[in-house]
Amino acid sequence: MLILLACCTLAVSAAERSGAIKVVYFQDYPPFSSGAGDQVQGAFVDIMQEALVKRMKQPTIHSGYPWERAQYMVKQGDADAFVTVHNPDRQRYTEASSEILYSDEIRFYVRKNHPDFNKIKTFTRLEQWIPYRIGSYIGAGWTKTSLGGFNITYFPLSESLYRSVAEGIVDASPEVAGHARPYILKQGLKDKIAEVPHSFDTLRYRLCIRKSSNFVKLLPEFDKTLKAMRHDGSLAEILKKHDL
């Protein structure tokens, strides 16, 4: 027991020991976050920079990683926080802000020449997708939570995911519209991939900090800061800058 307690005590990030909170992001999730390591940028990074650094005067390290790895880093103590949906799995090891940074709808994306396209575009219930091959990215929490038992293929990058939809490797992919729409356009796939009109869920993104991190105590102040940013229009400005 003493050894276990010692290990738990040591399981803090280097950033935490230096007084900086380390926030990790999905490195391939534009416009919210993109870029590996300290090259990460995007709407979520800008919001964290404005709230934590500029307004709360909290030293912060922003880093981009593959999403599954980023979540593991927070869980294991190699990072302190991430910005994502506070689903049941993440609730086990993080506390989340009450204030929401951004919310968006889950839509499904399917290739336009799919043989069932006319039927698929009328879907309004998740169970209607059960017969189809669904693509998602590794670490996607909504897919794991909402599509248990479905035929899922996971991809490491958004680019490979959407190209697999366009090429018929998978039948469709669920994703938040704010990410999928510009990404599909940027990759030149607008003529090949269509958005199913119905919304299948709404995702609400929050700052999630590991329960054992010393920085979890920042959440009440962060909530006040984000609320102020919403009221003074700066949060909307950041989102608008990234076409959200």
Side-chain angles (χ1 to χ4, degrees):
M1 286 297 294
L2 289 174
I3 294 172
L4 179 61
L5 288 171
C7 290
C8 291
T9 302
L10 291 172
V12 295
S13 67
E16 187 175 345
R17 291 194 295 272
S18 69
I21 182 172
K22 183 171 183 177
V23 186
V24 289
Y25 307 83
F26 185 9
Q27 67 180 31
D28 190 31
Y29 202 51
F32 306 112
S33 56
S34 60
D38 62 5
Q39 298 303 305
V40 68
Q41 57 186 323
F44 289 162
V45 182
D46 288 352
I47 293 170
M48 290 296 99
Q49 184 70 11
E50 176 68 25
L52 292 173
V53 180
K54 293 185 179 179
R55 301 196 182 204
M56 295 172 60
K57 309 303 181 185
Q58 170 59 53
T60 303
I61 297 171
H62 308 282
S63 298
Y65 297 94
W67 188 223
E68 186 85 347
R69 179 181 173 189
Q71 294 174 81
Y72 183 79
M73 290 175 69
V74 173
K75 191 173 186 177
Q76 294 302 114
D78 296 320
D80 301 293
F82 44 46
V83 176
T84 188
V85 178
H86 200 221
N87 64 22
D89 177 59
R90 296 163 187 149
Q91 288 171 18
R92 287 196 284 268
Y93 61 95
T94 66
E95 298 288 349
S97 61
S98 297
E99 291 293 313
I100 297 167
L101 282 75
Y102 177 77
S103 63
D104 204 348
E105 296 179 338
I106 284 280
R107 300 292 183 99
F108 275 76
Y109 296 85
V110 61
R111 73 182 189 278
K112 292 182 177 180
N113 64 354
H114 192 288
D116 291 348
F117 179 72
N118 289 330
K119 179 174 70 172
I120 283 173
K121 69 181 182 181
T122 67
F123 284 0
T124 59
R125 305 186 315 276
L126 285 178
E127 58 264 29
Q128 291 174 288
W129 294 100
I130 291 176
Y132 295 93
R133 300 164 300 169
I134 304 300
S136 192
Y137 57 86
I138 298 172
W142 185 88
T143 301
K144 292 179 180 179
T145 301
S146 304
L147 302 183
F150 283 56
N151 181 6
I152 311 292
T153 299
Y154 289 97
F155 297 86
L157 300 172
S158 295
E159 179 179 357
S160 56
L161 168 61
Y162 292 118
R163 293 202 176 278
S164 294
V165 174
E167 295 167 8
I169 296 172
V170 295
D171 294 304
S173 176
E175 189 48 75
V176 291
H179 164 64
R181 289 170 183 168
Y183 204 99
I184 289 169
L185 184 64
K186 182 179 179 180
Q187 294 299 318
L189 299 173
K190 186 179 179 181
D191 294 334
K192 295 183 178 181
I193 297 178
E195 180 182 281
V196 174
H198 185 74
S199 171
F200 289 85
D201 203 351
T202 298
L203 300 190
R204 296 170 178 84
Y205 293 83
R206 307 171 191 268
L207 173 62
C208 304
I209 303 179
R210 192 181 71 255
K211 290 180 178 181
S212 61
S213 169
N214 290 331
F215 296 111
V216 75
K217 62 188 177 184
L218 294 176
L219 285 172
E221 184 182 356
F222 177 82
D223 281 330
K224 293 178 183 178
T225 302
L226 196 62
K227 187 178 290 185
M229 289 171 60
R230 182 172 286 106
H231 288 165
D232 66 23
S234 56
L235 178 60
E237 273 185 33
I238 293 172
L239 294 175
K240 183 178 179 180
K241 170 187 170 184
H242 294 277
D243 298 319
L244 292 167

